[in-house]
Amino acid sequence: MPLDPKRLARDAKRAQAQRPDTGIGRETTGVTRAVRAGLPVIRQLRAAGVTWAAIAEAMSAQGVTQGAGTPLSATRLTAIVTQVEAQIRRKAEREAGRRSRSDLTLSSGLLPPSHPAATSLPAPAAAPAPLPPSGSSVPATEEEIRRAGLHDLHQLLKKS
């Protein structure tokens, strides 16, 4: 059965709009969502010497419970905080790895919008070298092909 590309795009956008706005693919409990949202406050409370049990009790009083209405325990809270911090740390490591990749350039648009280098593109450098003649024995590199395409695009869009 062939796919209708327009319908697929429309349905995917609708499904994406219905998903909760979280940084992860699947968030199964409201406790995790509450801990993720309140993590800065939880860290401040811990730095001020407030115990895990007191924080869990306060969260339970605001309706954050585990299971079917069971009050949040200190053990469960510490487990979820540890899990959320590990997810944040792994995400930061992945993003740092992506930024250090030499095959991704600033102009490729592959950096996240939150990355400072992704917001402003550098001015184009000197005119790129044209592709070698097709009869040449030296094959063109991917970078040369990309620069030649960019050069052609600049020539096409150049104001007269």
Side-chain angles (χ1 to χ4, degrees), residues 9-155:
R10 184 179 61 242
D11 291 347
K13 288 178 184 177
R14 183 177 35 80
Q16 182 66 34
Q18 292 174 351
R19 293 180 58 86
D21 190 23
T22 63
I24 60 173
R26 182 176 69 120
E27 197 164 288
T28 58
T29 67
V31 177
T32 305
R33 191 172 19 260
V35 167
R36 187 179 305 282
L39 191 58
V41 176
I42 292 171
R43 287 177 178 159
Q44 288 174 350
L45 291 171
R46 287 296 299 153
V50 178
T51 64
W52 287 110
I55 296 170
E57 185 178 329
M59 289 180 73
S60 293
Q62 291 189 26
V64 178
T65 59
Q66 59 185 18
T70 308
L72 185 62
S73 68
T75 306
R76 182 72 180 132
L77 177 60
T78 57
I80 293 172
V81 167
T82 302
Q83 177 187 21
V84 168
E85 287 175 338
Q87 289 171 350
I88 292 170
R89 187 174 46 255
R90 284 191 304 266
K91 182 179 179 183
E93 290 169 356
R94 280 193 309 269
E95 288 176 359
R98 287 184 185 119
R99 284 191 298 271
S100 67
R101 285 181 47 185
S102 62
D103 61 332
L104 299 180
T105 62
L106 296 178
S107 62
S108 67
L110 295 178
L111 291 175
S114 62
H115 190 272
T119 58
S120 62
L121 296 177
L131 286 174
S134 60
S136 173
S137 62
V138 178
T141 65
E142 184 178 353
E143 180 68 19
E144 290 171 340
I145 294 169
R146 193 172 25 239
R147 287 186 181 272
L150 182 63
H151 178 38
D152 292 343
L153 183 62
H154 281 296
Q155 294 300 323

